[in-house]
């Protein structure tokens, strides 16, 4: 049973959290301030600390220095988003905006405790292989998935094993290939990168394998292919799934026999090339559909690496955005800009279908368009967050709300509190005023209305004279 310490000065919120977590078999202790928490409890013995950001006496972030390895989950309102981001930089495990619903809180608690347990379980192994998890030049991120990727690169790079890198478009697969090459014994030789999707099908064989003079119309001189140019080094074939079947057969011979024969040549020449291939497609499925040679698939599928999409990399997104911001500001010789709290929220909540490439373009555009201010606003980022209007929410899906006159301290549901406040004040307050009073953004208010099935009241039309 995990032991959780709740540090919250509002008794209503504290009681609601305690009852919620106890129902899900967590052991709970409570405190109303940082001082009470440190005097009444040995906080380093806890499994998790949930603390409000603003507390009487000292802020909740003071617990970050005192908790040691115990994860701290910071509760904050939208109005103090900047402080929440700062607290994560100081070492908070995560933050959650108030008001929040039960499912949101439980999911966050499970995730934070689960990560902490994994971290502790891997502690001994990490000490023995500290070098394996070190970061790689040119690659940004300290999320668990990236640390696993770094460790695998460090293990595989010194060998000559063929590597197949999976990853969505824009995730940085060429960076993985470059890292493997730089940490291999071939780093004194060239790394030749080829995008198979960017070369016309009629030219791909000539580009890769070379050709003799007169081998085809337009071949006025002999030319060495890119595979031969990579002799002794590494050949990176990006989007290998786009390689034509004829070229695949030639490539298979290179890998099996270690020799390449240019188009129109009689004799082959020996080459010593290490192959790193990358794709965003399912090669196994393509092989089953006879769109990719099955024998080549098994030949290149020696060591697999998966480069995670940006949406699965957690806090790495903000680190990458800030690094790109510094890079583009330096490029146009202007003081380094900062992201506004709203821009940070946009960057960390957007799913980035184009991954790092899309993020890079958004940051570069924002740096160019921002003038006479020191912060980049979320509007300048121009990220489509797909806000869904909820005026026509189905009233049949509306959850049953507890009586507005019930005692809010009696088994309080935070969803009920939110719904109660909206229903009581939406006739007299605008959406902006409601969001401000609840301490959330208008976007969050819209989403919560949709989830709870509370349609927004339409403005009453003024009667015609």
């Amino acid at each position: 049973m995990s032991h959780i310490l709740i540090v919250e000065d509002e008794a209503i919120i504290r009681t609601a959290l305690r009852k919620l977590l106890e129902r899900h078999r967590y052991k709970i202790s409570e405190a109303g301030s940082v001082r009470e928490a440190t005097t009444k409890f040995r906080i380093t013995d806890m499994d998790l600390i949930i603390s409000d950001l603003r507390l009487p006496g000292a802020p909740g972030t003071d617990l970050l220095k005192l908790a040691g390895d115990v994860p701290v989950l910071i509760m904050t309102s939208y109005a103090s988003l900047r402080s929440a981001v700062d607290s994560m930089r100081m070492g908070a495990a995560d933050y959650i905006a108030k008001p929040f619903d039960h499912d949101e809180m439980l999911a966050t608690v499970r995730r934070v405790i689960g990560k902490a347990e994994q971290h502790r379980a891997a502690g001994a192994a990490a000490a023995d292989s500290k070098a394996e998890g070190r970061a790689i030049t040119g690659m940004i991120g300290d999320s668990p998935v990236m640390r696993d990727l770094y460790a695998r690169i460090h293990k595989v790079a010194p060998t000559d094993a063929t590597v197949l890198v999976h990853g969505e478009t824009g995730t940085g697969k060429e960076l993985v290939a470059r890292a493997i090459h730089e940490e291999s014994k071939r780093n004194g030789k060239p790394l030749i990168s080829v995008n198979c999707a960017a070369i016309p099908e009629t030219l791909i064989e000539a580009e890769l394998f070379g050709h003799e003079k007169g081998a085809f119309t337009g071949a006025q001189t002999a030319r060495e292919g890119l595979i031969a140019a990579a002799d002794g080094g590494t050949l990176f074939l990006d989007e290998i799934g786009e390689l034509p079947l004829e070229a695949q057969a030639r490539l298979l011979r290179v890998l099996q026999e270690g020799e390449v024969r240019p188009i129109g040549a009689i004799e082959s020449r020996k080459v010593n090339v290490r192959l790193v291939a990358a794709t965003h497609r399912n090669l196994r499925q393509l092989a089953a559909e006879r769109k990719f040679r099955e024998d080549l698939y098994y030949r290149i599928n020696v060591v697999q690496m998966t480069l995670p999409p940006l949406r699965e990399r957690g806090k790495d997104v903000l680190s990458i955005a800030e690094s790109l911001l510094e890079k583009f500001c330096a490029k146009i010789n202007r003081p380094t800009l900062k992201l506004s709290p709203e821009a940070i929220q946009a960057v960390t909540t957007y799913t980035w279908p184009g991954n790092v490439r899309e993020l890079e373009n958004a940051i570069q555009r924002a740096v160019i368009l921002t003038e006479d201010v020191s912060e980049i606003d979320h509007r300048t980022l121009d990220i489509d967050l797909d806000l869904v209007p909820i005026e026509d929410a189905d009233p049949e899906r509306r959850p049953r709300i507890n009586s507005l006159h019930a005692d809010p301290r009696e088994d309080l549901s935070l969803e009920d509190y939110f719904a109660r406040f909206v229903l009581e004040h939406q006739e007299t307050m605008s959406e902006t005023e409601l969001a401000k009073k609840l301490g959330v953004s208008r976007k969050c208010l819209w989403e919560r209305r949709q989830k709870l099935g509370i349609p927004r009241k339409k403005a009453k039309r003024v009667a015609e004279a």
Side-chain angles (χ1 to χ4, degrees):
M1 182 183 291
S2 298
H3 191 179
I4 300 175
L5 173 62
I6 300 172
V7 187
E8 167 64 68
D9 59 322
E10 292 188 36
I12 293 178
I13 300 295
R14 194 168 67 241
T15 301
L17 271 177
R18 175 176 57 77
K19 290 183 177 181
L20 169 65
L21 296 173
E22 283 179 342
R23 282 199 298 267
H24 288 80
R25 299 186 179 181
Y26 291 105
K27 181 181 178 182
I28 305 299
S29 295
E30 301 177 47
S33 65
V34 172
R35 182 175 181 181
E36 183 183 352
T38 54
T39 54
K40 285 179 63 176
F41 307 102
R42 188 174 177 179
I43 60 175
T44 53
D45 290 342
M46 301 292 172
D47 294 298
L48 172 65
I49 298 172
I50 303 177
S51 176
D52 192 13
L53 182 62
R54 296 182 178 179
L55 293 166
T61 49
D62 279 13
L63 291 167
L64 297 172
K65 306 170 188 176
L66 306 171
D69 293 331
V70 178
V72 179
L73 173 61
I74 294 292
M75 295 187 294
T76 183
S77 66
Y78 176 77
S80 53
L81 179 61
R82 184 191 294 275
S83 299
V85 173
D86 290 341
S87 70
M88 291 189 71
R89 289 177 177 150
M90 294 167 63
D94 207 338
Y95 72 88
I96 187 167
K98 295 192 297 185
F100 41 80
D101 59 40
H102 291 178
D103 291 339
E104 183 182 12
M105 173 58 77
L106 288 171
T108 305
V109 167
R110 290 192 192 104
R111 184 175 67 250
V112 172
I113 291 180
K115 284 184 179 179
E117 289 175 349
Q118 290 176 3
H119 180 73
R120 284 193 293 269
D128 295 334
S129 57
K130 186 177 180 181
E132 291 182 358
R134 69 184 184 276
I136 290 174
T137 303
M139 300 182 74
I140 301 171
D142 193 41
S143 59
V145 287
M146 291 305 292
R147 287 200 298 270
D148 290 344
L149 179 65
Y150 299 154
R152 179 161 283 210
I153 289 173
H154 295 317
K155 286 180 181 177
V156 173
T159 73
D160 275 338
T162 301
V163 178
L164 179 59
V165 183
H166 287 279
E168 294 180 6
T169 300
T171 49
K173 296 186 285 293
E174 187 169 354
L175 291 177
V176 174
R178 190 170 299 280
I180 291 171
H181 176 72
E182 292 298 329
E183 294 198 12
S184 74
K185 56 190 176 184
R186 299 172 177 266
N187 58 11
K189 296 290 184 176
L191 166 67
I192 303 295
S193 299
V194 184
N195 187 335
C196 299
I199 303 175
E201 188 172 331
T202 54
L203 298 178
I204 187 71
E205 289 189 61
E207 288 288 326
L208 286 177
F209 306 102
H211 59 80
E212 293 294 306
K213 180 180 178 180
F216 52 85
T217 304
Q220 299 178 356
T221 60
R223 181 177 177 182
E224 182 181 60
L226 295 173
I227 293 176
D231 190 19
T234 304
L235 175 68
F236 173 55
L237 293 182
D238 195 8
E239 300 301 348
I240 194 172
E242 310 301 325
L243 201 62
L245 290 171
E246 296 80 1
Q248 291 178 30
R250 282 178 170 269
L251 179 61
L252 183 62
R253 180 172 180 81
V254 173
L255 298 176
Q256 289 179 338
E257 308 297 334
E259 58 184 33
V260 61
R261 183 166 64 89
I263 298 173
I266 298 175
E267 296 182 351
S268 300
R269 61 164 287 188
K270 287 290 183 181
V271 290
N272 177 13
V273 172
R274 195 242 185 106
L275 176 67
V276 178
T279 182
H280 73 283
R281 305 181 70 181
N282 186 334
L283 294 187
R284 182 187 293 275
Q285 182 178 342
L286 291 180
E289 297 171 354
R290 299 187 181 277
K291 296 178 181 178
F292 193 86
R293 289 185 65 102
E294 191 173 25
D295 47 2
L296 178 59
Y297 170 69
Y298 289 119
R299 186 64 183 80
I300 65 176
N301 188 31
V302 179
V303 177
Q304 281 198 35
M305 294 187 185
T306 300
L307 196 52
L310 204 54
R311 60 183 173 274
E312 294 179 6
R313 293 180 56 181
K315 292 184 285 185
D316 287 353
V317 179
L318 186 57
S319 300
I320 295 171
E322 291 177 334
S323 176
L324 291 171
L325 195 55
E326 186 176 347
K327 167 188 167 184
F328 289 123
C329 286
K331 199 175 255 190
I332 62 175
N333 296 317
R334 67 177 299 174
T336 302
L337 297 169
K338 293 182 179 180
L339 296 171
S340 70
E342 294 82 4
I344 289 173
Q345 188 185 45
V347 165
T348 54
T349 55
Y350 184 52
T351 55
W352 298 108
N355 293 296
V356 179
R357 187 178 293 121
E358 184 184 6
L359 174 61
E360 185 175 16
N361 292 340
I363 295 294
Q364 183 177 18
R365 177 176 62 246
V367 169
I368 294 171
L369 297 179
T370 300
E371 296 179 353
D372 303 325
V373 291
S374 60
E375 284 189 339
I376 289 178
D377 187 75
H378 67 289
R379 297 182 185 86
T380 312
L381 284 173
D382 193 23
I383 298 171
D384 183 9
L385 290 176
D386 296 326
L387 296 183
V388 180
I390 57 149
E391 281 82 355
D392 300 323
D394 184 359
E396 295 299 322
R397 297 174 56 194
R398 199 176 303 171
R400 203 160 43 121
I401 307 300
N402 290 349
S403 169
L404 301 183
H405 305 290
D407 182 358
R409 293 176 181 267
E410 243 178 66
D411 197 21
L412 175 73
S413 162
L414 294 174
E415 286 188 355
D416 289 351
Y417 171 79
F418 184 96
R420 181 183 297 112
F421 187 90
V422 171
L423 289 171
E424 286 183 343
H425 297 92
Q426 64 181 352
E427 297 286 350
T428 56
M429 289 185 181
S430 67
E431 290 295 285
T432 300
E433 290 171 330
L434 276 173
K436 186 175 181 180
K437 288 290 184 181
L438 287 166
V440 298
S441 65
R442 284 194 55 164
K443 172 181 177 292
C444 180
L445 176 59
W446 282 21
E447 290 174 344
R448 199 64 60 86
R449 275 184 177 277
Q450 181 170 314
K451 181 175 182 180
L452 295 177
I454 306 173
R456 183 172 157 188
K457 289 287 185 181
K458 296 182 179 179
K460 296 179 180 177
R461 295 181 180 177
V462 179
E464 295 182 0

